């Protein structure tokens, strides 16, 4: 049966008779299912101290505020949107709406997600609720079912379930459907992109093999031409050999005739015939020397043979199709090495190093080993083949930096590529394995300015350059001061060696350091000194020569000259802090100011300052003081005393500065 409800009655509160709205008089549903405006419910809460009695069924409800109750979305949907399918029946001039009322048989509900289009049913409806007989105007997103207004209070309360209006649910369904379809379209586009890429790769491979077949045909044609030329040359050589053999037989027969002669006339006849044969032989010999062998043809033939053999190995499908990627890389490396070997055997090959000016490193091949020679600053062969050092190293296999004494390898360090340069592993007493590459550490790398010492363990990071001190054994290197703040970047193709490893090779008791002095805008020379590093002052002096503590003597001035022109003359310097004589604090704790080992005061003696707050300053005597001793000395000048004497003779010794410093490393 169908009961008609007056719309005017449905859209106002049954307590205050005010029309429902979306503000103070918004429709709120009690747990019993009856609806009143928020304003009346608020008044009930105040009057009854939180207890509200329904004016329809008198059931009591405990509330704090009206917002604790659910909104009657049926009234919101019906009267705020005003959507009905057909005009309602008229009764006494008032608008009525059909409300289904269950009788003996419930009204059959429409299937979810189906649009209901029947008289009295809103368009935005999913049918009729089987339990409550109301329109399914909501959807529970939590339970994924269509529900009515009563369901939002009992079975699907909003504090437990996510309830959406049918309008919002339809929008979400449309959005989800659009997103799903868009996702599938994206998958199709991604698959098409892969297929297009794959098709391009296949096309590229087809074209590559097509070009390869054409090039192979050209190679085969070249091989046939070379073989034809070789056969022609072989025929010509055979003909020349027959002529030579005939001339030899004529000469042998002439020798027999001479043995059988008895008269002068017979001897003269033999000599005349001999002169004719000799002239023939001379002409033939000149012709042979001018035309045999054909070096160009033979060299070309050998190159073609080698290249053909390499190509044949590479395209041997039975082998290459079963190789893994790592194996293929090894095959490629072996082919590169073979090609480089053929190149070195047929031409002069040089590695080009770009610095302030170009340098050239000659490459040779001997005993299955590529060997780089000493650096050359001029290229003497204009026909030489030039390649970059990185390219040659990448194609020549394992690389070792070596220190050799004659034909014997005394030290070797494996070289590995790191970024834009190379790293030298620790130098060890070991031999270089065959099928590798040798680079002389001193004659090539250091003299070319390619090797740097790098300190990274301290966290600050520093770079120290290396230079050769001597070329003959013992092999000595100058390890220059570490540069920080920031360190100069190593060259892109540099070979880096651990500063810590180099430092371990300088000795534990007596080491040799150097100071390089300059004045008047010119470098005047180096002062080499033996330093006792078992003493605190000696160890501190070494640190300031190497820059390991973050400070160094670089750019410090010579401060003054003591006893100038008299016995016991000395130079004072080493204020790394203030550079005026007021600084030079100790880098190491516990350096005593009390007298130590007494040494005769002679020219070249290296000593320390007697003030404890200036213990990093140093004194170097330039004149003897007979009969006197120094109790703070810790070293002696080995070479370069003349540089110090010249500095002491300056009108102002502060013109002289330490331009560079470092320590000597013995390999």
């Amino acid at each position: 049966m169908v009961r008609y409800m007056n719309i005017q009655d449905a859209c106002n509160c049954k307590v205050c008779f005010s029309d429902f709205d979306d503000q103070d008089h918004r429709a709120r549903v009690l747990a019993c299912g009856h609806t009143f405006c928020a304003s009346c419910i608020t008044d009930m809460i105040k009057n009854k101290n939180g207890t509200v009695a329904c004016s329809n069924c008198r059931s009591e409800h405990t509330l704090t505020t009206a917002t604790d109750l659910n909104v009657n979305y049926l009234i919101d949907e019906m009267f705020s949107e005003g959507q009905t399918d057909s005009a309602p029946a008229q009764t006494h001039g008032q608008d009525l709406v059909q409300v289904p009322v269950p009788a003996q048989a419930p009204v059959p509900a429409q299937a979810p997600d189906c649009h209901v289009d029947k008289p009295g049913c809103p368009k935005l409806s999913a049918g009729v609720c089987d339990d409550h007989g109301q329109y399914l105007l909501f959807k529970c997103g939590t339970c994924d079912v269509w529900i009515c207004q009563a369901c939002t209070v009992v079975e699907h309360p909003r504090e437990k379930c996510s309830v959406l209006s049918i309008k919002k649910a339809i929008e979400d369904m449309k959005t989800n459907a659009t997103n799903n379809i868009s996702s599938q379209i994206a998958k199709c586009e991604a698959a098409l992109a892969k297929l297009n890429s794959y098709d391009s790769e296949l096309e590229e491979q087809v074209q590559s093999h097509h070009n390869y077949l054409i090039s192979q045909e050209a190679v085969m044609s070249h091989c046939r031409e070379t073989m034809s030329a070789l056969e022609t040359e072989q025929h010509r050589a055979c003909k020349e050999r027959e002529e030579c053999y005939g001339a030899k037989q004529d000469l042998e027969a002439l020798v027999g005739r001479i043995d059988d002669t008895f008269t002068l006339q017979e001897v003269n006849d033999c000599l005349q015939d001999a002169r004719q044969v000799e002239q023939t032989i001379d002409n033939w010999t000149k012709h042979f020397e001018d035309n045999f062998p054909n070096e160009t043809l033979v060299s070309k033939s050998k190159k073609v043979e080698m290249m053909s053999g390499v190509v044949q190995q590479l395209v041997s499908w039975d082998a290459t199709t079963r190789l893994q990627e790592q194996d293929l890389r090894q095959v490629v490396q072996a082919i590169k090495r073979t090609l480089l070997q053929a190149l070195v055997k047929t031409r002069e090959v040089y590695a080009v190093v770009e610095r302030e000016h170009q340098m050239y490193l000659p490459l040779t091949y001997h005993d299955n080993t590529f060997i780089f020679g000493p650096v050359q600053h001029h290229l003497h062969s204009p026909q030489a083949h030039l390649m970059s050092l990185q390219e040659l190293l990448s194609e020549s296999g394992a690389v070792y930096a070596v220190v050799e004494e004659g034909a014997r390898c005394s030290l070797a360090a494996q070289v590995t590529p790191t970024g834009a340069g190379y790293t030298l592993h620790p130098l060890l007493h070991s031999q270089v394995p065959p099928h590798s590459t040798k680079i002389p550490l001193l004659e090539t790398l250091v003299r070319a300015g390619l090797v740097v010492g790098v300190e990274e363990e301290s966290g600050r990071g520093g770079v120290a350059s290396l230079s050769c001190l001597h070329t003959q054994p013992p092999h000595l290197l100058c390890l220059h001061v570490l540069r920080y703040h920031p360190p100069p970047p190593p060259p892109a193709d540099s070979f880096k060696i651990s500063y810590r490893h180099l430092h371990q090779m300088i000795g534990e008791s007596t080491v040799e350091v150097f100071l390089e002095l300059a004045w008047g805008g010119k470098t005047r020379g180096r002062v080499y000194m033996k330093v006792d590093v078992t003493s605190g002052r000696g160890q501190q002096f070494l640190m300031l020569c190497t820059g390991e503590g973050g400070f160094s003597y670089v750019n410090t001035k010579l401060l003054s000259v003591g006893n100038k022109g008299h016995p016991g003359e000395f130079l004072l310097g080493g204020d790394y802090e203030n550079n005026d004589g007021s600084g030079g604090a100790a880098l190491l704790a516990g350096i005593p100011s009390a007298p130590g080992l007494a040494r005769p005061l002679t020219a070249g003696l290296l000593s320390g300052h007697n003030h404890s707050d200036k213990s990093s300053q140093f004194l170097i005597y330039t004149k003897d003081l007979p009969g006197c001793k120094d109790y703070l000395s810790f070293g002696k000048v080995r070479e370069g005393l003349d540089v110090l004497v010249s500095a002491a003779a300056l009108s102002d010794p502060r013109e002289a500065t330490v331009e560079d410093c470092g320590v000597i490393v013995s390999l």
Side-chain angles (χ1 to χ4, degrees), residues 13-91:
C13 177
K14 297 304 181 289
V15 175
C16 64
F17 301 102
S18 298
D19 291 340
F20 290 119
D21 58 23
D22 58 352
Q23 300 296 327
D24 294 338
H25 294 284
R26 193 168 190 182
R28 296 283 179 174
V29 183
L30 293 174
C32 60
H34 296 107
T35 302
F36 305 94
C37 74
S39 178
C40 290
I41 293 174
T42 300
D43 292 340
M44 294 178 192
I45 293 171
K46 291 180 180 179
N47 295 335
K48 300 294 184 177
N49 295 324
T51 301
V52 176
C54 177
S55 60
N56 285 2
C57 64
R58 310 311 300 172
S59 60
E60 293 186 351
H61 311 278
T62 301
L63 299 172
T64 303
T65 63
T67 56
D68 292 341
L69 299 174
N70 294 322
V71 176
N72 190 327
Y73 289 100
L74 174 62
I75 294 177
D76 278 2
E77 293 284 344
M78 291 177 60
F79 300 105
S80 64
E81 297 179 6
Q83 294 183 343
T84 56
D85 188 37
S86 60
Q90 300 292 323
T91 303

Side-chain angles (χ1 to χ4, degrees), residues 95-107:
D95 294 333
L96 299 178
V97 63
Q98 293 179 348
V99 179
V101 178
Q104 285 80 6
V107 178

Side-chain angles (χ1 to χ4, degrees), residues 340-613:
L340 183 59
Q341 177 183 342
L343 183 63
V344 171
K345 285 184 175 181
T346 55
R347 298 186 64 179
E348 292 185 55
V349 178
Y350 290 85
V352 181
V353 178
E354 298 287 347
R355 287 293 183 270
E356 296 178 358
H357 57 274
Q358 284 188 338
M359 296 178 290
Y360 307 95
L361 307 180
L363 181 64
T364 57
Y365 187 79
H366 181 67
D367 290 340
N368 296 322
T369 304
F370 287 104
I371 302 173
F372 281 91
V375 61
Q376 298 180 10
H377 297 284
H378 300 285
L379 191 63
H380 303 291
S381 176
Q383 303 299 324
H385 185 78
L386 304 180
M387 299 176 67
S388 68
L389 181 60
Q390 295 93 330
E391 186 177 5
L392 282 177
L393 291 176
S394 67
E395 295 181 2
S396 60
V399 181
Y400 288 83
V402 298
V403 178
E404 294 181 314
E405 296 181 8
R408 186 177 66 88
C409 177
S410 58
L411 292 171
Q414 187 176 3
V415 178
T416 56
T418 53
Y422 303 88
T423 295
L424 273 74
H425 294 245
L427 285 161
L428 302 174
H429 294 277
S430 60
Q431 296 297 319
V432 176
H435 304 288
S436 59
T437 301
K438 294 195 300 186
I439 306 183
L441 177 63
L442 300 178
E443 292 81 358
T444 300
L445 295 181
V446 176
R447 288 193 177 277
L450 294 175
V451 176
V452 295
V454 180
E455 182 191 45
E456 298 175 344
E457 293 84 354
S458 64
R460 297 190 306 272
V463 174
S465 61
L466 290 171
S467 62
C468 288
L469 184 61
H470 298 298
T471 57
Q472 299 299 325
H475 303 293
L476 299 177
L477 290 177
C478 291
L479 178 59
H480 296 252
V481 66
L482 279 162
R483 307 281 181 168
Y484 300 96
H485 312 302
D493 52 0
S494 65
F495 291 71
K496 296 179 290 185
I497 188 168
S498 168
Y499 185 90
R500 176 175 55 85
H501 170 65
L502 288 171
H503 193 277
Q504 291 173 350
M505 305 175 72
I506 66 174
E508 298 179 354
S509 57
T510 301
V511 302
E512 186 170 349
V513 300
F514 67 89
L515 300 178
E516 190 170 83
L517 300 182
W519 62 82
K522 295 182 179 179
T523 301
R524 302 296 175 168
R526 285 184 181 179
V527 181
Y528 295 95
M529 293 165 282
K530 293 285 188 178
V531 177
D532 176 14
V533 292
T534 61
S535 66
R537 281 187 172 82
Q539 187 177 358
Q540 184 171 261
F541 190 82
L542 172 64
M543 291 177 63
L544 286 164
C545 286
T546 60
E548 294 175 72
F551 303 96
S552 74
Y553 286 136
V554 173
N555 296 326
T556 60
K557 302 175 182 178
L558 296 183
L559 303 171
S560 62
V561 180
N563 300 327
K564 186 169 184 177
H566 300 285
E569 180 185 74
F570 65 87
L571 283 166
L572 177 66
D575 183 1
Y576 70 89
E577 289 185 301
N578 304 324
N579 215 11
D580 59 5
S582 63
L587 296 181
L588 299 176
I591 295 179
S593 59
L597 179 63
R599 293 184 175 90
L601 202 158
T602 57
L605 188 65
L606 174 62
S607 184
H609 203 292
N610 58 358
H611 290 172
S612 59
D613 58 345

Side-chain angles (χ1 to χ4, degrees), residues 191-205:
L192 287 172
K194 290 182 179 180
L195 287 171
N196 291 336
S197 176
Y198 183 53
D199 183 67
S200 299
E201 182 179 0
L202 292 175
E203 177 61 27
E204 181 180 350
Q205 291 298 317

